[in-house]
Each structure stands twice: as C-alpha cells, then as structure tokens.
C-alpha cells in the first residue's frame, strides 16, 4: 500500500506518528480505503445478525462505542 498513499488519501503531516506508523486519524483513513477496496473487489458474505457470529456482533458494538467515546472526548 505504500505505493498508493495518494490514492488512499494519507498525508504525512496529518496521518502519521512517525515515518512509517499511522496515527489514529491515519488508521481511520486507511481502514476506510481498505474496506472500500475489499467491498469493491471481493464478494464477502455478510454475517451481521447471524447467530453463529453473535460474539463478533457484540465485540463490534463495543468497539463502535469506544470509538464514539474517543471521538467525543469522553
């Protein structure tokens, strides 16, 4: 992905902690790009709400709540 920095939208002065590690904002930009890339190029079955993936749904909810707390400054 280092050759795709411009396409991803990463900016050295905004998205990096140092020469090679993303900060929180950079990781969000990269994750969004990667998610879109996977969605556009692969067929992945959606298991949200599937009883066999119940623990994944619960973990995902906790992560989302934590992200909201971080972004809101709580």
């Amino acid at each position: 992905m280092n050759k795709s920095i411009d396409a991803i939208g990463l900016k050295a002065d905004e998205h990096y902690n140092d020469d090679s590690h993303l900060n929180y904002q950079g990781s969000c930009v990269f994750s969004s790009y990667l998610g879109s890339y996977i969605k556009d190029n692969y067929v992945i079955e959606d298991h949200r709400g599937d009883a066999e993936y119940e623990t994944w749904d619960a973990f995902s909810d906790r992560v989302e709540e934590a992200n909201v707390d971080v972004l809101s400054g709580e």
Side-chain angles (χ1 to χ4, degrees):
M1 293 294 186
N2 290 337
K3 295 179 180 181
S4 302
I5 290 172
D6 291 335
I8 294 169
L10 292 170
K11 297 179 175 93
D13 59 339
E14 293 180 34
H15 301 124
Y16 286 86
N17 278 333
D18 55 34
D19 291 340
S20 61
H21 295 95
L22 297 173
N23 61 23
Y24 178 78
Q25 290 81 15
S27 68
C28 291
V29 170
F30 179 78
S31 294
S32 178
Y33 175 86
L34 182 60
S36 294
Y37 181 87
I38 291 169
K39 185 177 178 181
D40 293 345
N41 292 282
Y42 300 94
V43 177
I44 306 290
E45 187 175 348
D46 186 354
H47 289 284
R48 289 176 288 189
D50 185 331
E52 291 187 35
Y53 291 81
E54 182 177 12
T55 58
W56 176 261
D57 285 341
F59 178 75
S60 177
D61 290 343
R62 286 198 319 267
V63 169
E64 185 66 29
E65 290 168 8
N67 285 339
V68 169
D69 290 346
V70 167
L71 294 174
S72 68
E74 294 180 18

